[in-house]
Amino acid sequence: ISSHIEAGETLAIVGPPGSGKSSFSRVLLRMYPYQSGTVQLDGEEIAHLNRQWLRHQIGVVLQDPFLYSRSVRANLSVGRPNAPEAQVIEACQDAAVHSAIESFPEGYDAMVGERGVTLSGGQRQRLALARALLKDPPVLVLDDSLSAVDTGTERQILDAMTRRKGRQTTLIIAHRLSSVMHADRIMVLDEGRLVQLGDHQTLAAQPGPYQRLCEIQGALDASIRADMSDTATGGEHRG
């Protein structure tokens, strides 16, 4: 893989399971050592950078985020303990979780069980996203972090991310095409290799893995809509 990511750019990474999507982000975080090649941040080889400093520059939201057995507010402020209240609320609104928090009897002071057991999967992901947005790091990595969020809520979050575009260099690793369509560029991986690179419109018009993915997801979405419509009408009566 050889690619240059501009500061403030939103780059999406897609590909089948095992293609190297998550490994790409873990190498960036120095969780995996690399024996050859070069990985640089602002022209500096990351292997020569202080690991703690490097990770402080990167906000990461995983598919299954870790939450502490503390209050919602304490979980949000892990990266910025003294963040102003207005910025806490703004981050939660952008992550489409503010209304959910407000519905808790104790609001932002509500306790979160170990690993977030008192929250739904979507709430855990949105709370972790709000935590990363509040930290406001130079680099933001979203690793399948909206997989448990319904499509309507996903749309709200993506609209907020579009408004924030340029504030961070953002890497979006996802399986849903709706999560990556508005990225500046989309990187398509297969078996650890970069096989396509371009924006959504360009790649969707080219024969290749991305176009096939569009066709598969388009057919799947149409099937789901048909099933939901059939369920809502009670199904077709057959004599």
Side-chain angles (χ1 to χ4, degrees):
I1 296 173
S2 178
S3 183
H4 177 78
I5 306 171
E6 295 287 346
E9 182 180 14
T10 297
L11 176 73
I13 306 175
V14 300
S19 59
K21 301 185 299 297
S22 294
S23 295
F24 187 92
S25 64
R26 283 161 173 70
V27 167
L28 181 63
L29 290 162
R30 287 189 61 189
M31 296 176 70
Y32 295 164
Y34 50 98
Q35 308 302 324
S36 61
T38 179
V39 183
Q40 297 182 0
L41 179 67
D42 285 344
E44 296 289 336
E45 192 70 32
I46 63 169
H48 302 155
L49 297 174
N50 178 275
R51 184 172 293 158
Q52 183 176 2
W53 178 89
L54 174 67
R55 292 177 180 174
H56 189 69
Q57 309 308 307
I58 305 172
V60 182
V61 186
L62 302 175
Q63 180 179 2
D64 185 19
F66 182 87
L67 297 176
Y68 298 95
S69 184
R70 300 178 185 174
S71 68
V72 169
R73 190 183 307 277
N75 272 281
L76 287 166
S77 61
V78 168
R80 285 186 63 194
N82 300 313
E85 181 74 6
Q87 292 184 16
V88 173
I89 293 175
E90 179 187 13
C92 289
Q93 288 173 334
D94 286 348
V97 73
H98 174 67
S99 296
I101 296 172
E102 290 268 277
S103 70
F104 299 154
E106 296 176 307
Y108 280 80
D109 294 319
M111 291 298 295
V112 175
E114 192 69 45
R115 298 189 64 87
V117 294
T118 59
L119 305 176
S120 70
Q123 288 172 338
R124 288 197 297 271
Q125 288 186 340
R126 285 179 284 155
L127 190 61
L129 175 60
R131 178 170 62 189
L133 295 179
L134 182 63
K135 181 182 176 182
D136 200 25
V139 180
L140 182 64
V141 177
L142 308 180
D143 191 350
D144 210 17
S145 58
L146 300 181
S147 59
V149 175
D150 64 79
T151 54
T153 304
E154 180 192 42
R155 180 71 268 159
Q156 295 179 45
I157 295 171
L158 294 176
D159 286 345
M161 296 299 293
T162 298
R163 293 192 298 270
R164 296 172 63 96
K165 187 175 284 189
R167 287 176 58 170
Q168 284 120 358
T169 303
T170 305
L171 303 182
I172 301 177
I173 300 168
H175 292 94
R176 284 185 192 168
L177 290 184
S178 55
S179 297
V180 306
M181 289 172 57
H182 301 291
D184 296 311
R185 290 187 299 161
I186 300 170
M187 176 186 291
V188 184
L189 301 183
D190 188 27
E191 296 184 353
R193 295 181 179 274
L194 172 61
V195 294
Q196 285 185 296
L197 181 64
D199 61 28
H200 170 73
Q201 289 185 329
T202 301
L203 296 181
Q206 294 176 353
Y210 191 81
Q211 188 182 76
R212 291 196 297 272
L213 187 60
C214 290
E215 293 170 351
I216 292 169
Q217 291 208 7
L220 179 61
D221 290 344
S223 176
I224 292 173
R225 287 194 297 269
D227 288 345
M228 291 179 66
S229 176
D230 191 49
T231 300
T233 58
E236 181 183 357
H237 175 71
R238 291 180 174 85

